[in-house]
Amino acid sequence: MARTAAVVAGWLLPAACATPPQADLTGSWQLFLDDHLIGTRNNVVRTYHPFAKHPGNPVLKADQPWERNVVNCDAVLPGEDGAGYRMWYYCWSARDDPDRSHMLYATSADGVHWIKPKLGLMPWKVTGSTENNLVGAGDSLMHTPADPDPARRYKAVRYEGESAAKYFLYASPDGLRWQRLSSKEIFAAGDTSHVMWDPLTSRYR
């Protein structure tokens, strides 16, 4: 049975409901890629608009010696103060390189121009200097502000090992300083995996 609904910024809302703020990503929202959830439509035409690459790409380059050969974005989140963006990205080099991989941090006011702050948190293996943007996070970084413990507002899952990687859960108060939560691995798998927090069901997936 079709129901009357209003579509606002990708949300499927009962007609009587108030529009949620755009920053609120919880609730019964739907991405309208097709007509599966639409009962009827009148005087509406679906138009697909192609993406356009930014002319200044790439917006983030491996230009520091500890970044090695690859820049791989793990997570981009809005700043907690509502201004700008925060990025956690991953760099790695050849498998036989003892300084093989890092998780790093950058900030941006517009999502295009990125700054790599000197955080002073972790020493780079080659020189021992902390004048870098290294952070101790793993992959699958998540912002979980509803956690009642302020020290656990951010989560990440890090794999350790090679052919039989074991995954451990980490937590952070600010996304920069990390501590392992799980004394044993939460699961074992290959070296490619992704974990997310589902705010609709309050479960990790």
Side-chain angles (χ1 to χ4, degrees):
M1 177 182 294
R3 57 174 176 154
T4 303
V7 180
V8 181
W11 293 72
L12 178 64
L13 302 173
C17 290
T19 302
Q22 291 188 3
D24 182 5
L25 297 182
T26 61
S28 302
W29 54 272
Q30 299 286 344
L31 184 61
F32 281 86
L33 294 176
D34 54 36
D35 295 338
H36 177 69
L37 294 172
I38 299 175
T40 59
R41 63 179 183 176
N42 295 298
N43 300 320
V44 176
V45 176
R46 183 184 303 277
T47 302
Y48 294 96
H49 302 278
F51 287 101
K53 289 186 177 182
H54 187 270
N57 278 337
V59 297
L60 193 72
K61 300 179 182 179
D63 56 9
Q64 300 298 319
W66 52 83
E67 292 176 325
R68 300 297 181 159
N69 301 323
V70 176
V71 171
N72 182 37
C73 179
D74 184 77
V76 176
L77 299 175
E80 291 190 21
D81 60 357
Y85 302 93
R86 309 177 73 192
M87 179 194 292
W88 291 260
Y89 65 102
Y90 194 58
C91 292
W92 73 87
S93 56
R95 184 177 292 274
D96 57 355
D97 189 334
D99 185 51
R100 182 183 173 200
S101 60
H102 308 289
M103 182 65 76
L104 303 105
Y105 177 76
T107 61
S108 174
D110 57 8
V112 176
H113 303 92
W114 291 89
I115 298 172
K116 303 172 182 179
K118 300 295 177 60
L119 298 173
L121 296 176
M122 299 182 64
W124 183 36
K125 291 180 182 179
V126 176
T127 64
S129 172
T130 60
E131 290 294 301
N132 56 58
N133 60 329
L134 274 67
V135 293
D139 295 318
S140 301
L141 189 139
M142 299 160 274
H143 187 205
T144 55
D147 194 308
D149 186 344
R152 297 166 49 128
R153 296 294 166 81
Y154 289 83
K155 308 291 194 314
V157 175
R158 178 189 295 173
Y159 83 86
E160 301 173 10
E162 290 295 339
S163 59
K166 297 179 179 180
Y167 288 79
F168 296 84
L169 183 65
Y170 283 73
S172 170
D174 54 10
L176 302 177
R177 299 161 182 83
W178 295 86
Q179 181 178 2
R180 185 197 281 184
L181 289 183
S182 55
S183 58
K184 297 181 180 180
E185 69 270 18
I186 56 177
F187 61 86
D191 65 351
T192 301
S193 184
H194 187 75
V195 177
M196 62 168 286
W197 169 252
D198 182 356
L200 297 180
T201 60
S202 298
R203 296 176 65 91
Y204 293 96
R205 299 188 181 279

